[in-house]
Structure formats: C-alpha cells, structure tokens
Amino acid sequence: MSTHFGDHARTGDERNQHNQRDERNSWDEWDEAVWVWRHTVVPKGCRAEIIDGLVSVTPVSAGTGHAIAERVTRCLYEVIPDTWGVYQWLATAVPSRLGLYVPDLVVLPRAPGTGANADDHVPAAAARLVVEITSKATAHNDRVTKPAGYAQAGVPLYLLIDGLAPEAPRITLYESPEGPAYRDSTTHAFGDPVHLPAPFTVTLDTTGFPMS
C-alpha cells in the first residue's frame, strides 16, 4: 500500500513539474512573439499584430473604415468619463492566447501604463470596449479569433462592424464574456440604431455607414 502511495505521489510531482514546464514554455513563446513583433518592420499604412503566436502584418482599414471609426469615436466621447480615452490602433495584449491585437478602436481609462501613457501595448483586460471594423485582410480574425481572445481577457463589450459580412453588412455587439466566448450577442443591419449598455448607455446611429 505504501509503495502504491509513493508511486502515486511521484506521479503527482511529475504532473506538477510538467504543468510548470508548460506554463514556462507558454510564457517563453509569448516573450519571443512580442520580441519579434517589436522588431518587425511595418510598412506605412499597415499594422502588425500577434495572432496565435505568429506576427501578422495587414493594411489598416480603408477610407470607409476611417469614416466609421470617426463616427463611433464622436459618439463615445459624448458619454465616457473625462478620465477615459478612445484610442485608435492601440496594441492590446492577450498573453493567454498568444495574442497581441491592434483594434480599430479601444476604450479604456487613462492611467499609468494604459492609453496615451502606454509603452507599446496594454493588457486587453483594461479595455471597457473594443471596436473592430472588418477589411478583406482582417475579416476572419475579427469574426473568429478576436472574439475568443477578447472574451478570454474579460473585455466586457466587443463591437464588430462587418461591412463584408456574406449576407449583408451588419454590426454585432458581443456581451458577457465567459471563458473564450461571449454568452450574448445582438446583430443589427447597417442603418439600424445600436444600443451600447452601461457604462456607455448610448445609442449609436449607424445611418449612412459606408459599405466596405
């Protein structure tokens, strides 16, 4: 009996060591990916992100994306506290998914290490709202990879403005993150009002949103 117990204990120790090695390897992968990201030469008009541990360089949104981002930014600044900011293309980190995303817009409090005071990226967990505007280069990640990453980080609201949706342009608001998914989502057509819940409590007028 004691021999069996000893074998079981050693197996537990080995399992703990294995888990610790996996955790160290994960962080090693993250540090390596961030190092490569920081040293990537990014052409003008492009952004570099880390997607599932790999650095990806894609063009930023075209003119239609800029117009939508400007409309959303104006709406948000009407309701957010003075201590918050709306930032464009601010790198947000999700180390648990080996992700460093550069959203079209992110809302977060102004504080040391975040927003305008950030070094080169901020934790996605600090965000109150993330907005992505799809382009041909980013549509798959905006629809699949990033919702899982933002949910995993605990971002309470993710607004996906998808002018390239197969059926018709649409806007999806994801809410209530739980693990790598959002429990709730609502989808609207371009032109429909989109209500953002607290802490924003504002209705976004999407009339005239340009098609991609």
Side-chain angles (χ1 to χ4, degrees), residues 164-187:
L164 298 173
E167 303 83 4
R170 63 187 184 186
I171 302 165
T172 303
L173 177 65
Y174 296 88
E175 305 177 64
S176 306
E178 187 175 273
Y182 285 93
R183 291 200 310 269
D184 303 312
S185 66
T186 54
T187 300

Side-chain angles (χ1 to χ4, degrees), residues 116-191:
N117 301 315
D119 179 14
D120 58 6
H121 65 273
V122 299
R128 301 298 188 265
L129 166 71
V130 170
V131 180
E132 294 283 8
I133 303 167
T134 58
S135 68
K136 291 181 180 179
T138 66
H140 175 77
N141 288 328
D142 291 343
R143 296 168 186 158
V144 179
T145 306
K146 292 184 177 182
Y150 291 135
Q152 187 77 57
V155 177
L157 297 170
Y158 172 47
L159 186 66
L160 175 61
I161 301 175
D162 192 352
L164 298 173
E167 303 83 4
R170 63 187 184 186
I171 302 165
T172 303
L173 177 65
Y174 296 88
E175 305 177 64
S176 306
E178 187 175 273
Y182 285 93
R183 291 200 310 269
D184 303 312
S185 66
T186 54
T187 300
H188 309 265
F190 272 34

